């Protein structure tokens, strides 16, 4: 499912117009992004948690020259951890 299909599905389930559903979805994504950038996390009980995790600096292999090792710098990565209800629904 892509973003346009998600907007259409939300509009159908909520009775919103597609424009209103798109505004709501964009607002939702923007709010989550702003919270993660600020260093926080977003917990949706029963659905899951969005948070940022730190990745340590590490050694890796150069894909163009597998014998050569390269340094991969430390970084931050956004992560989603599914909640119990979502896991149960999928399984």
């Amino acid at each position: 499912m892509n973003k346009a299909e998600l907007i259409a599905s939300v509009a159908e389930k909520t009775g919103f117009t597609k424009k209103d559903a798109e505004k709501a979805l964009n607002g939702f994504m923007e709010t989550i992004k702003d919270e993660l950038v600020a260093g926080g996390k977003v917990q949706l009980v029963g659905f899951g948690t969005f948070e940022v995790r730190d990745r340590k600096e590490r050694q890796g292999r150069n894909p163009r020259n597998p014998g050569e090792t390269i340094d991969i710098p430390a970084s931050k990565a956004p992560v989603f951890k599914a909640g119990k209800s979502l896991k149960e629904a999928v399984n």
Side-chain angles (χ1 to χ4, degrees), residues 1 8-9 11 25 32 38 44 51 53 79 89:
M1 177 180 281
S9 179
L25 182 61
I32 289 175
L44 303 172
E51 62 185 338
R53 291 196 186 145
V79 194

Side-chain angles (χ1 to χ4, degrees), residues 4 9-11 16 27-28 31 37 41 46 50 54 58 64 83 90:
S9 179
V10 168
F16 292 170
F28 174 76
T31 301
V37 167
K41 69 179 183 178
F50 297 90
D54 292 322
R58 62 192 193 281
R64 292 186 182 175
V90 172

Side-chain angles (χ1 to χ4, degrees), residues 59-70:
Q59 294 283 319
R61 296 278 180 193
N62 183 347
R64 292 186 182 175
N65 182 5
E68 180 185 348
T69 59
I70 56 173

